[in-house]
Amino acid sequence: EVQLLESGGGLVQPGGSLRLSCAASGFTFNSYAMTWVRQAPGTGPEWVSVISGGNTYYADSVKGRFTISRDNSKNTVYLQMNSLRAEDTAVYYCAKGSHSWDYWGQGTLVTVSS
Amino acid sequence: AIQMTQSPSSLSASVGDRVIITCRASQGIRNDLGWYQQKPGKAPKLLIYAASNLQSGVPSRFSGSGSGTDFTLTISSLQPEDFATYYCVQDYNYPYTFGQGTKLEIK
């Protein structure tokens, strides 16, 4: 059974940093791209970033502040978030694959507030 | 970035109704489009990929069509569990972009 479990969310002050983790199981992790999608309260989903092979891509809204990475030995994908802003407040989901996401985690809430 | 425009933004319908949701891309995206259903407090659920392919396990009352810039999601006969919010998303090029959503409510 495919499982994705995010962690690392919480309350952080503007300008602060957080690292999200997504632990995967139930599939051959190193064979798949992994994606982060976020959803601010009351809004639709927003694609954030993908790591595919050795390539990474980012939404313009997070480029230069967020970094996606993965550790295939731990079946985990990360999202390092720096210089956080109030508008980064959202539930962050990881999803399996580069598109057509058939498996998602439960999400982890990031709140940026003073 | 490619803009995705969904319509309507909300829709009231009854059980058994046929419902069509449309999504328009600001430029051609071939058939690189997915449709997702989301219920409150849950992650989105993949319904349709590559514009017209039904995801495994999704009821056949859901169907998708279109290519280029104009796409539709059709629910042939609404069931009580279908009342939710629906999103399209283009995966033609980065950054991928979602439509603003269609909230389907019970009439």
Side-chain angles (χ1 to χ4, degrees):
Chain A
E1 179 192 7
V2 172
Q3 290 193 330
L4 299 171
L5 184 62
E6 302 98 337
S7 60
L11 175 64
V12 61
Q13 293 188 339
S17 297
L18 276 180
R19 188 178 81 156
L20 306 183
S21 300
C22 170
S25 61
F27 63 101
T28 306
F29 181 75
N30 60 13
S31 295
Y32 288 88
M34 294 295 294
T35 297
W36 287 96
V37 173
R38 70 183 180 182
Q39 190 165 24
T43 70
E46 178 188 15
W47 177 88
V48 172
S49 182
V50 64
I51 184 163
S52 179
N55 299 312
T56 59
Y57 301 91
Y58 300 92
D60 290 345
S61 58
V62 308
K63 200 174 296 182
R65 300 187 298 123
F66 290 12
T67 302
I68 191 171
S69 63
R70 66 191 297 162
D71 184 338
N72 289 335
S73 70
K74 295 182 178 179
N75 286 0
T76 299
V77 60
Y78 304 99
L79 188 67
Q80 177 67 43
M81 305 187 296
N82 298 331
S83 303
L84 283 161
R85 307 166 179 167
E87 54 265 36
D88 296 317
T89 294
V91 174
Y92 285 73
Y93 297 99
C94 64
K96 171 178 165 277
S98 61
H99 61 283
S100 304
W101 306 292
D102 51 354
Y103 291 97
W104 298 63
Q106 84 291 349
T108 187
L109 176 62
V110 172
T111 303
V112 184
S113 175
S114 54
Chain B
I2 297 172
Q3 297 205 8
M4 306 301 294
T5 303
Q6 260 182 261
S7 62
S9 56
S10 64
L11 177 58
S12 293
S14 301
V15 172
D17 284 354
R18 181 172 180 258
V19 166
I20 298 174
I21 299 169
T22 66
C23 188
R24 174 166 287 176
S26 59
Q27 67 181 73
I29 59 170
R30 301 182 308 194
N31 67 338
D32 295 331
L33 183 110
W35 288 98
Y36 291 80
Q37 177 194 67
Q38 189 176 31
K39 295 183 178 179
K42 299 294 187 181
K45 174 187 174 183
L46 177 65
L47 301 174
I48 302 287
Y49 64 94
S52 60
N53 292 275
L54 190 68
Q55 173 66 10
S56 175
V58 174
S60 59
R61 62 181 179 273
F62 291 93
S63 63
S65 66
S67 67
T69 60
D70 294 308
F71 303 87
T72 61
L73 172 70
T74 300
I75 310 172
S76 60
S77 178
L78 273 174
Q79 298 303 300
E81 60 268 29
D82 300 337
F83 292 94
T85 303
Y86 293 83
Y87 297 96
C88 62
V89 57
Q90 66 84 13
D91 51 46
Y92 175 72
N93 66 12
Y94 297 120
Y96 293 168
T97 42
F98 286 82
Q100 79 277 18
T102 296
K103 187 172 184 179
L104 183 51
E105 299 175 308
I106 301 173
K107 184 183 286 183

